[in-house]
Amino acid sequence: MSEPLLSVRNLTLDIPTGSGTLHAVRGIDFDLNRGETLCIVGESGSGKSLTSLALMGLLGKGIKRSADRMTFDGTELTTADSRKMRSLRGARMAMIFQEPMTSLNPAYTIGDQLSEALLLHRNVTRAAARARAVELLEKVGITAAESRLSQYPHQLSGGLRQRVMIAMALMCEPELIIADEPTTALDVTIQAQILRLLHDLGREMNMAMILITHDLGVVARVADKVAVMYAGELVETGPVGEIFNAPTHPYTRGLLRCIPLPGKTARGSQLGTIPGIVPSLVGAVEGCVFRTRCPHATMECRGPIPKRVDGDHAFRCIFPDGKRHDEKELTA
Amino acid sequence: MLHFILKRLGLAVLVAFTVSFISFSLLFLSGDPAAALAGETASGEDIEALRRLYGFDRPMLVQYGEWLWSALRGDFGESYYFKLPVASLIADRLGVTMLLGVCGISFALLTAVPLGVVAAIRPNSLIDRAALFISVAGQAMPSFWFGLILIVVFAIQLGWLPPSGTGTWRHFVMPTIVLGYYAMPAIMRLTRAGMLDVLSSDYIRTARAKGANETRVLFRHALRNAIIPVVSLAAVQMGFMLGGSIVVESIFALHGAGYLAWESIARNDLPTVQALILIFSMFYIVFTFLADVLNAWLDPRMRSS
Ligand SMILES: Nc1ncnc2c1ncn2[C@@H]1O[C@H](COP(=O)(O)OP(=O)(O)OP(=O)(O)O)[C@@H](O)[C@H]1O
Ligand SMILES: [Mg+2]
């Protein structure tokens, strides 16, 4: 595993607004190897969806993207033209969205929509595409798959639609799949099923996966790596064991207040809540963005914040250990 | 789907009956039909004689039943002015009106839909503003005035097109533009609004995520959904146009059913007016019904509910 499948350095997203530039995502770095699962966690509005759309090249007009590097299997995505991006999207990198109810086109049948990606990217017949669609519908656990092909989205429940979305993303056997909170819109009972399904299929097809979720229990079970996002920055990234056993950034610790452990954290346990407000990201953003909510904040936190890297583990804090040891004493 | 169509069909028939009754009663609302028929110099006895001859002395409902029954068999009585069967009179003229209607709606769709799409792709651009200007102007400008301007410019000053008549296709150019321009603004704005709405929807993002190119995204994924309400609006507009061509036909002296209506009103030719009103209303009802069916056919959500 010499070169990572996806390598991102200093990804920055700026959105011009009426009152100045919104620095929605700032200086994101991470690597993802083939077959690995990266979970991105962070509260609402921290920029998780924007980051995943930026990777896919699906940002809305007006959002400015820049990066020192953003390579997918050696292809530089920042300079790829739209034709190149189209040849990757749906074929080698696929995305599953947060909103299953509205992500399918109401005017076309499930069969048409499933076949589309395959017909666009591979030289196959319609019949072959439909056969593949049936195969994948069965794989995602949909019964009577054959007869579903002629159904329209409105005839399916939310859970079924999300399964269809998953099947659709898998049509061309992508090497990378990005799942943006694929289950938040669904029933709690269905959430776990869908995530397990996604995880198992990912393993089976040796896909790399970026999974955005709020469910720490899921993170503990499926992640190889975890990235913690706060107000547009990855404040801490690392292997799942280290993040859960030794969370270093004060925000990460705030999220994991009860220090859940892989295998021990209950399914469905939500991120902890931390008092305080997120600073505005409009105009110049300086110093640590978490300082307004951090119990250890000092004057120094207004200055430049070093990125501390130790092997696979990285975090941004002026304190070499993120005040981890002080806090242990406090709570002990 | 079948259930839906039957329901709409039932409604259409009900409306048709109501309209037929109203158009029949026009005869009586517009004054004494016998007096109108007899002319201004006729004596009281003449009028009475005519009243008996044409059966105006019988109860209104009986007359309605009789009129409707004949109308259903294609007999609308005899024109007071031409002394010819109204049905054949109208049949001769209807072709021109229908041709004009088809040309008009085609012109409206062919200009309004592309303009609406382009305006939606680039909101607030020059093209969007131009499209808005065209549609506001279209709505503010009365058809007869627009028609007269066209005649002055293209027929009189430039001499490119004939000002009136029905001889060749060139006679239909200006009427088509005037009639189509009337329907254009609504179609354009509905297309623009629909496209704007659809283009920001999640399934468009899904289509892009699959690697579909912009043309495919715009036409196959977006327009296919945005066009649904436009199709039914166009069908309704078409119904309107067939009736609304009265003004256009009179400006350009096109000898269609609209022109006949205008002439017959001026001549107090009540059976002809009655029949024309009935026919125009029927067109409207038929096209509204077609709009519903088309809508259901295009929108899978309506089809199965
Ligand atoms: N097109 C846009 N124009 C302006 N602001 C935007 C736009 N898209 C996103 N934002 C802002 O960028 C920030 C990050 O949004 P994003 O959708 O990435 O958050 P998220 O982490 O996915 O949140 P959630 O968990 O609620 O999905 C938010 O503050 C949002 O308001
Ligand atoms: Mg999101």
Side-chain angles (χ1 to χ4, degrees), chain A residues 175-198:
Chain A
E175 291 138 81
L176 169 68
I177 193 154
I178 303 176
D180 184 1
E181 299 186 41
T183 60
T184 26
L186 304 176
D187 270 331
V188 185
T189 46
I190 301 169
Q191 288 186 0
Q193 285 174 24
I194 299 264
L195 283 169
R196 160 128 10 106
L197 175 77
L198 203 54

Side-chain angles (χ1 to χ4, degrees), chain A residues 115-130 132 171:
Chain A
S115 312
E116 187 173 14
L118 205 59
L119 291 171
L120 281 172
H121 297 288
R122 306 261 195 276
N123 196 8
V124 295
T125 61
R126 289 190 66 82
R130 292 180 88 79
R132 169 88 177 142
M171 281 299 281

